[in-house]
């Protein structure tokens, strides 16, 4: 084998290994969440479009259009005050009898869940910057019945949201 052929073999082998390591890094990134996000990975690609104020269903995802945060009428001011020029939305959900919800987002945004006109504290949080398409997942223990989900501080004008019962 001549020197040029040897270089091609080395370069090809490097490209194969680099591609494999990038794929492994993406898988490792998603595995870094504190709990599985495989349901979100399945739901997000086909998430239907939704506007601010939409009703979200437990067990499903939506691609929520966000509006300038200063145009959103939040039920309760966001716990973390959003910066000017960011985006937000609200949505409603019916919390199931067991009361546990896991809300996962495709990008950066603050999540507040409101019940009885007050913000509920999260009981678990996991965020990973190396999982393609999923940025954070937050768990809440709520009372069964209606709740409002508020998104604020997003830098993009849309975000995919999955509302699930924790596994």
């Amino acid at each position: 084998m001549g020197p040029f052929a040897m270089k091609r073999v080395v370069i090809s082998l490097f490209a194969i290994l680099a591609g494999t390591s990038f794929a492994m890094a993406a898988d490792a990134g998603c595995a870094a969440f504190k709990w599985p996000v495989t349901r979100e990975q399945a739901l997000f690609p086909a998430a239907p479009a939704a506007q601010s104020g939409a009703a979200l269903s437990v067990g499903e995802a939506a691609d929520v259009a966000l509006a300038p945060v200063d145009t959103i009428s939040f039920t309760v001011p966001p716990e973390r005050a959003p910066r000017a020029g960011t985006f937000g939305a609200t949505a409603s959900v019916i919390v199931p009898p067991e009361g546990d919800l896991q809300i996962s987002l495709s990008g950066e945004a603050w999540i507040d869940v409101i019940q009885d006109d007050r913000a509920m504290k999260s009981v678990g949080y996991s965020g990973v910057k190396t999982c393609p398409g999923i940025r954070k997942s937050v768990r809440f223990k709520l009372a069964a019945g209606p709740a409002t989900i508020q998104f604020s501080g997003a830098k993009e004008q849309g975000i995919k949201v999955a509302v699930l019962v924790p596994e």
Side-chain angles (χ1 to χ4, degrees):
M1 190 180 303
F4 292 114
M6 186 63 143
K7 283 183 183 179
R8 271 189 249 151
V9 169
V10 170
I11 290 171
S12 296
L13 183 58
F14 176 75
I16 291 168
L17 291 174
T20 302
S21 66
F22 289 135
M24 288 172 44
D27 290 344
C30 296
F33 276 99
K34 293 177 183 174
W35 45 79
V37 293
T38 53
R39 295 178 296 165
E40 292 88 334
Q41 289 173 311
L43 290 169
F44 279 175
Q51 298 299 313
S52 183
L56 301 180
S57 298
V58 176
E60 297 180 6
D63 190 351
V64 179
L66 305 178
V69 77
D70 57 351
T71 67
I72 304 296
S73 295
F74 292 113
T75 304
V76 172
E79 182 180 334
R80 186 175 286 173
R83 289 188 169 158
T86 60
F87 301 92
T90 62
S92 62
V93 66
I94 300 298
V95 179
E98 52 279 357
D100 296 323
L101 280 188
Q102 177 176 306
I103 301 170
S104 301
L105 302 179
S106 62
E108 295 277 345
W110 184 259
I111 303 170
D112 287 300
V113 176
I114 312 302
Q115 272 193 321
D116 298 323
D117 293 323
R118 57 187 184 80
M120 309 306 292
K121 295 290 182 197
S122 65
V123 295
Y125 167 83
S126 189
V128 174
K129 292 184 179 183
T130 57
C131 180
I134 304 172
R135 172 61 185 93
K136 72 191 292 185
S137 188
V138 184
R139 290 182 171 174
F140 296 87
K141 179 72 174 164
L142 305 164
T148 299
I149 304 171
Q150 300 181 161
F151 309 102
S152 60
K155 294 178 182 169
E156 305 290 326
Q157 292 183 314
I159 198 161
K160 292 184 180 179
V161 179
V163 181
L164 305 168
V165 173
E167 293 184 297

